[in-house]
Amino acid sequence: MKARRNKKQVPSFRKLLKTSKVKLENKLKNKQFKQQSTLKKYRKEQRKLRQAVKDAASKNPIPLEDPKKIRPVKRLEKEEEEEEEALPLDMMDEDDLQLMKDLGQRASFLTRDLSSSEPLHGKKRKHERIIDKYEKIPRTLQTAPEKELIHLLPIKDKSGIIPQTREKPVIDSDRDEEDQKEELELEEEVIEEPVRELTIEEHLIERKKKLQEKKIHIATLASAILSDPESNIKKLKELRSLLVEQDPDVAVTVRKLVIISLMELFKDITPSYKIRPLTEAEKSTKIRKETQKLREFEEGLVSQYKFYLENLEQMVKDWKQRKLKKSNVVSLKAYKGLAEVAVKSLCELLVALPHFNFHNNIIVLIVPLMNDMSKSISEMCCEAVKKLFKQDKLGQASLGVIKVISGFVKGRNYEVRPEMLKTFLCLRIKEVEVKKDTEDINKPKKFMTFKEKRKTLSRMQRKWKKAEEKLERELQEAEASESTEKKLKLHTETLNIVFVTYFRILKKAQRSPLLPAVLEGLAKFAHLINVEFFDDLLVVLHTLIESGDLSYQESLHCVQTAFHILSGQGDVLNIDPMKFYTHLYKTLFKLHAGATNEGVEIVLHCLDVMLTKRRKQVSQQRALAFIKRLCTLALQVLPHSSIGILSTTRTLMHTFPKTDLLLDNDSQGNGVFLPELDEPEYCNAQSTALWELHALQRHYHPIVQRFAAHLIAGAPSEGSEALKPELSRRSAVELFETYSMAAMIFNPPVEFSNSKKKGLVHATQVTCH
């Protein structure tokens, strides 16, 4: 007979919390019911007592020891009643007899101590009318609010232990004012002083004390887990239970601290491999204690990690839905703070644990938040994805993120933030391709076979060779990286998804704000695009430029993308990009001349790709036309833009030496220069001179003056007119960024000269101010 397996499952942590909560609620209900029943009895006794006091106050007291004053009408009835109630004295104890004598010495019932525990009423008096008896019963409505009952210390008497209680005063609008006053007077004798409300300072001190205790508790648990994770893995559950802290004073702060603490703990104690579930065969086999302990640790770690991620997800959902919990411990305003901490923890885990379990679940949570309306959360998620792309050498995690982003962009009909697509620029595909080429050039060393060793080496040499090869193999295994084939496969699949996303946007969403990010991405990965797509892609880019729907910067991005494509594999193709040269030459004067010189940097990149890197495909007439137009443009823009443009002009004069004829006023070409013509090949730029450089020599910026004088001298590399190394060795883009005016700082700083005359202000001072 096989023993029946216990099918009863161990209750989960969430179920235990729920069950304990139900038990507590039931206990509270029972306690309240008992209090209410005791309250009703106590209320009846108090009302009877008050009514008896009222009746007695309206009558004259009749002494018990003077039977002559008893009314004659009721005398017989009293005697009969006393005979029935009297007991023979010989049947009484001495204590009872003494008690009766003491009572006989007292005047009446009214003279007794009301606070004593003796019974308030003896036998019913027969002379009381039935109507009066009912009138004395207080009337209460069914809807009267019940009072809370507070239990006091009991009193011990000869009759036994008597419980003492008191009730909190409740204002009843239906009662008479006189009854309310009597009740309050009676309760004042019993009720103790109410609890004093804390001031703001005392409340803050109390909160600080509670918070310090919670911090110590969290630190103790975290230290125990870090010291021995395998033995103290169960304390993760205790620490995670603090995520539902119920004290409203410290609930938000404690939850934030627990979130960050758990995140750091998981980053430290998580192994460097993915934990898989055990099979039935593995569970049934006998194992050593160390292996069993390791399995329990891994199982507990995965379970608590899963619950932790669920808690973080729930916090984000609560913030999104603006849904107030029943407990009302956390306010709606605090939801955003908790959600930001939860998102920050998810981003840290996304970057730190790409190899561990539930990484795809984290990706699914993070990607929609990249498009969140909150700018801080959106930037946080985008930065985390960029960081993941930069450090992912294999490409497995990057592929998972790219798939989710592509599906999300398509599902939202391409109405997402451009920052989502700009994260693609951080992919490490280009670097891996370069590494692959070096591996092909430097092929791994092959070891000699046994036959080759026997032919060429002696016995002693073979022995040394064997030891050397063994050591080399061990070193290769220690430094082994992922196979090149696996990397290439993952990167190829990643690039396919990226290009599919880019081409969809070019085809269906040409007016989308995502277009600049798409063009920038195509320019970066142009060397990886299949040559078969080049013709169609260039046609699409030219159509976009001619449509007129693009902004100036977007059209510059199109030009940059087209020349990036042609500078890579496109060199083998017979494609004339004259249309793009014409477009750039025509639109150079559309650059903003004010503080928003954002397009200048893109223009400098385009000129470098179009003219310098394609020097063999560029004619002299085209180079002359661009140099002339760039010098004219340098007169209109800000100083840092002028410096970048003049640096590009210097590079072009070195690349095309025959363009120095523009520095000679006596040289005459064929025809007349036509500056308004938009065709650089036919504007007769050889018939003009660079007179703009003389005007730039009187520019207020010293670096612009230096570049103008250098170009007038023919851009020499040596001599007095040569540039200093910090100017000559930097590219045009670097100079543009170095002398930028974005921070409203003049570079180099203006030197103030001390004037002897009062009131004389130098031009440099006026310019600075």
Side-chain angles (χ1 to χ4, degrees):
M1 292 293 289
K2 292 184 178 180
R4 292 184 179 179
R5 293 183 179 178
N6 188 9
K7 296 183 179 180
K8 186 175 180 180
Q9 297 180 353
V10 178
S12 63
F13 177 72
R14 187 170 295 173
K15 191 172 181 181
L16 285 175
L17 282 179
K18 188 175 180 182
T19 308
S20 61
K21 187 176 180 181
V22 172
K23 288 182 178 180
L24 289 175
E25 289 178 355
N26 291 338
K27 286 184 178 180
L28 184 61
K29 288 179 181 178
N30 293 337
K31 185 177 180 181
Q32 290 176 353
F33 180 75
K34 290 179 181 179
Q35 290 178 354
Q36 289 172 2
S37 60
T38 310
L39 176 64
K40 290 180 181 179
K41 293 179 182 179
Y42 178 74
R43 194 183 302 158
K44 287 181 181 180
E45 292 178 0
Q46 294 293 326
R47 287 172 185 167
K48 288 179 182 180
L49 176 61
R50 288 194 299 272
Q51 189 62 36
V53 172
K54 283 183 182 180
D55 294 342
S58 61
K59 297 178 183 179
N60 296 323
I62 303 174
L64 296 178
E65 68 274 7
D66 191 3
K68 295 180 181 180
K69 294 183 180 180
I70 300 176
R71 296 177 186 178
V73 182
K74 302 292 183 177
R75 187 172 181 179
L76 295 174
E77 296 178 359
K78 288 287 182 180
E79 290 177 357
E80 293 175 359
E81 187 175 351
E82 289 175 0
E83 288 177 359
E84 292 176 358
E85 294 178 355
L87 288 174
L89 296 179
D90 57 354
M91 293 180 63
M92 293 186 181
D93 295 335
E94 293 181 1
D95 296 338
D96 295 337
L97 185 60
Q98 183 65 31
L99 181 63
M100 292 298 292
K101 290 179 181 180
D102 293 341
L103 289 174
Q105 296 299 326
R106 298 182 185 180
S108 68
F109 167 78
L110 294 177
T111 60
R112 294 195 316 171
D113 187 7
L114 296 179
S115 62
S116 65
S117 60
E118 297 173 1
L120 299 175
H121 299 283
K123 290 285 184 175
K124 295 181 180 179
R125 290 183 292 178
K126 294 185 178 180
H127 66 275
E128 290 184 352
R129 297 180 183 178
I130 299 175
I131 297 175
D132 295 339
K133 182 179 67 174
Y134 283 109
E135 285 295 333
K136 291 175 183 178
I137 298 175
R139 298 173 178 83
T140 57
L141 297 175
Q142 294 181 354
T143 58
E146 297 180 355
K147 298 182 179 180
E148 297 183 10
L149 195 65
I150 300 176
H151 295 275
L152 304 176
L153 291 174
I155 298 174
K156 187 174 182 181
D157 199 1
K158 294 178 181 180
S159 59
I161 296 175
I162 301 173
Q164 296 292 316
T165 57
R166 68 177 176 87
E167 59 184 49
K168 289 185 178 180
V170 178
I171 298 173
D172 192 350
S173 59
D174 296 331
R175 289 185 180 178
D176 297 333
E177 295 180 0
E178 186 177 349
D179 294 342
Q180 292 179 4
K181 290 180 181 179
E182 291 177 358
E183 288 179 9
L184 292 174
E185 289 176 0
L186 188 63
E187 288 168 358
E188 283 176 359
E189 299 177 0
V190 185
I191 296 176
E192 299 177 357
E193 293 184 1
V195 180
R196 185 174 62 85
E197 293 185 0
L198 298 176
T199 62
I200 297 176
E201 292 80 5
E202 292 173 345
H203 185 75
L204 290 175
I205 294 172
E206 186 69 20
R207 181 185 179 275
K208 188 176 181 181
K209 184 178 178 182
K210 291 180 183 178
L211 195 57
Q212 187 65 24
E213 292 176 356
K214 293 291 182 181
K215 286 181 179 179
I216 293 173
H217 184 48
I218 293 170
T220 304
L221 291 174
S223 301
I225 295 169
L226 282 176
S227 61
D228 191 0
E230 294 186 1
S231 301
N232 299 322
I233 191 64
K234 293 183 180 180
K235 291 190 177 181
L236 270 177
K237 182 179 180 181
E238 184 179 352
L239 182 58
R240 194 176 58 80
S241 65
L242 295 175
L243 286 174
V244 290
E245 175 64 37
Q246 296 299 318
D247 190 350
D249 290 341
V250 295
V252 178
T253 307
V254 169
R255 292 184 186 187
K256 289 181 180 180
L257 292 174
V258 174
I259 291 171
I260 299 297
S261 301
L262 283 171
M263 181 262 292
E264 295 293 342
L265 279 174
F266 283 121
K267 286 169 62 176
D268 291 336
I269 67 176
T270 300
S272 59
Y273 54 87
K274 189 174 183 179
I275 299 174
R276 61 173 180 82
L278 299 175
T279 60
E280 294 296 332
E282 290 174 340
K283 291 179 180 179
S284 59
T285 55
K286 293 183 179 181
I287 54 176
R288 295 184 299 173
K289 290 183 179 180
E290 292 80 4
T291 309
Q292 180 64 28
K293 188 177 181 180
L294 179 61
R295 285 184 178 180
E296 291 176 357
F297 165 72
E298 291 177 347
E299 185 179 355
L301 179 64
V302 172
S303 176
Q304 293 302 320
Y305 187 57
K306 178 184 176 183
F307 288 139
Y308 173 64
L309 294 179
E310 289 177 353
N311 291 333
L312 297 183
E313 181 184 8
Q314 189 61 43
M315 289 179 186
V316 177
K317 284 184 178 179
D318 291 342
W319 170 61
K320 287 289 184 185
Q321 298 172 358
R322 305 293 194 274
K323 189 176 181 181
L324 193 62
K325 298 288 185 180
K326 292 181 180 179
S327 60
N328 200 16
V329 175
V330 180
S331 62
L332 287 173
K333 293 182 180 180
Y335 276 175
K336 185 176 181 181
L338 280 174
E340 287 181 350
V341 177
V343 172
K344 183 179 180 181
S345 300
L346 287 171
C347 293
E348 290 285 340
L349 295 173
L350 176 76
V351 178
L353 305 177
H355 58 277
F356 198 57
N357 302 50
F358 310 114
H359 190 257
N360 291 333
N361 302 75
I362 299 177
I363 293 172
V364 173
L365 287 175
I366 291 294
V367 169
L369 294 175
M370 295 171 66
N371 191 44
D372 194 78
M373 295 178 64
S374 176
K375 188 176 181 182
S376 59
I377 289 181
S378 175
E379 290 179 353
M380 195 188 305
C381 296
C382 290
E383 288 299 322
V385 171
K386 288 180 182 179
K387 196 172 181 181
L388 177 66
F389 287 162
K390 289 178 182 178
Q391 72 177 26
D392 186 19
K393 297 180 180 179
L394 177 60
Q396 184 71 41
S398 300
L399 178 59
V401 177
I402 291 295
K403 284 181 178 179
V404 180
I405 291 178
S406 178
F408 182 80
V409 172
K410 184 181 178 182
R412 289 297 182 93
N413 198 19
Y414 311 104
E415 295 180 357
V416 298
R417 287 178 178 265
E419 288 78 8
M420 290 189 71
L421 292 185
K422 287 183 179 179
T423 56
F424 291 178
L425 301 175
C426 297
L427 288 169
R428 292 190 60 176
I429 296 176
K430 185 176 180 179
E431 287 80 356
V432 174
E433 291 294 325
V434 172
K435 187 177 180 181
K436 175 178 177 295
D437 296 339
T438 57
E439 287 177 355
D440 291 342
I441 295 171
N442 302 322
K443 293 183 179 180
K445 182 179 179 181
K446 292 184 178 180
F447 297 108
M448 296 176 66
T449 61
F450 179 75
K451 292 182 179 179
E452 292 174 348
K453 291 177 184 178
R454 194 165 187 178
K455 288 180 181 179
T456 57
L457 303 176
S458 63
R459 184 177 179 183
M460 198 65 180
Q461 287 176 337
R462 287 199 301 269
K463 188 175 181 181
W464 281 102
K465 192 71 174 176
K466 185 178 180 180
E468 184 181 352
E469 289 179 355
K470 183 180 179 181
L471 181 60
E472 287 182 1
R473 285 194 183 95
E474 290 177 355
L475 290 174
Q476 287 181 2
E477 289 177 0
E479 298 177 357
S481 58
E482 295 292 335
S483 64
T484 308
E485 295 179 359
K486 188 176 181 180
K487 286 183 180 179
L488 188 60
K489 183 179 179 180
L490 290 172
H491 290 156
T492 304
E493 188 177 356
T494 303
L495 264 183
N496 288 338
I497 298 173
V498 170
F499 285 141
V500 165
T501 306
Y502 284 165
F503 294 155
R504 280 176 181 166
I505 295 173
L506 284 176
K507 184 178 180 181
K508 298 181 180 180
Q510 294 183 355
R511 297 185 180 182
S512 171
L514 302 177
L515 193 60
V518 170
L519 297 172
E520 195 173 354
L522 287 173
K524 178 178 177 62
F525 301 115
H527 63 288
L528 302 172
I529 301 176
N530 196 337
V531 181
E532 299 175 357
F533 297 112
F534 279 6
D535 289 335
D536 296 334
L537 193 55
L538 290 174
V539 170
V540 170
L541 294 175
H542 185 260
T543 306
L544 287 173
I545 293 174
E546 295 296 327
S547 65
D549 298 331
L550 304 180
S551 65
Y552 182 60
Q553 290 190 15
E554 290 174 352
S555 63
L556 289 178
H557 277 299
C558 285
V559 174
Q560 184 182 6
T561 304
F563 281 96
H564 270 292
I565 292 172
L566 294 175
S567 62
Q569 303 177 41
D571 287 340
V572 299
L573 301 177
N574 189 15
I575 298 175
D576 184 17
M578 186 60 196
K579 295 176 287 188
F580 297 102
Y581 281 104
T582 303
H583 174 73
L584 182 62
Y585 181 80
K586 179 173 60 176
T587 58
L588 273 178
F589 288 155
K590 290 184 179 180
L591 279 171
H592 199 290
T596 57
N597 281 175
E598 298 174 358
V600 175
E601 186 176 359
I602 307 174
V603 168
L604 296 177
H605 282 293
C606 290
L607 291 171
D608 182 51
V609 178
M610 296 167 64
L611 300 174
T612 308
K613 293 183 179 179
R614 290 175 59 87
R615 60 176 65 90
K616 295 181 180 180
Q617 288 87 3
V618 178
S619 64
Q620 184 179 352
Q621 293 291 333
R622 197 179 302 174
L624 290 170
F626 271 99
I627 290 174
K628 175 63 178 176
R629 183 150 288 198
L630 286 174
C631 288
T632 307
L633 180 64
L635 291 170
Q636 316 298 330
V637 293
L638 292 176
H640 63 291
S641 301
S642 296
I643 294 171
I645 291 171
L646 292 177
S647 176
T648 302
T649 305
R650 174 179 178 272
T651 304
L652 292 177
M653 292 179 73
H654 286 170
T655 305
F656 303 97
K658 293 182 180 181
T659 55
D660 59 352
L661 59 91
L662 292 175
L663 302 175
D664 188 3
N665 292 331
D666 297 333
S667 63
Q668 296 180 356
N670 297 326
V672 181
F673 174 58
L674 302 174
E676 72 280 358
L677 192 65
D678 294 334
E679 295 291 337
E681 295 284 348
Y682 308 108
C683 66
N684 297 325
Q686 73 277 2
S687 301
T688 185
L690 298 180
W691 58 266
E692 295 88 355
L693 296 177
H694 291 279
L696 290 171
Q697 266 190 315
R698 298 188 295 274
H699 198 278
Y700 65 87
H701 199 285
I703 304 300
V704 177
Q705 296 176 12
R706 188 76 193 89
F707 263 101
H710 173 70
L711 292 176
I712 288 174
S717 56
E718 296 180 353
S720 60
E721 297 297 333
L723 292 177
K724 295 180 179 179
E726 59 266 18
L727 298 177
S728 60
R729 293 178 181 178
R730 292 184 180 180
S731 65
V733 178
E734 291 176 349
L735 291 171
F736 172 80
E737 294 174 352
T738 302
Y739 296 98
S740 175
M741 304 289 291
M744 300 303 293
I745 298 174
F746 197 86
N747 186 16
V750 179
E751 297 181 0
F752 293 94
S753 59
N754 296 325
S755 177
K756 295 182 179 179
K757 296 181 180 181
K758 294 183 179 180
L760 181 62
V761 181
H762 290 275
T764 54
Q765 297 180 16
V766 174
T767 305
C768 180
H769 290 293

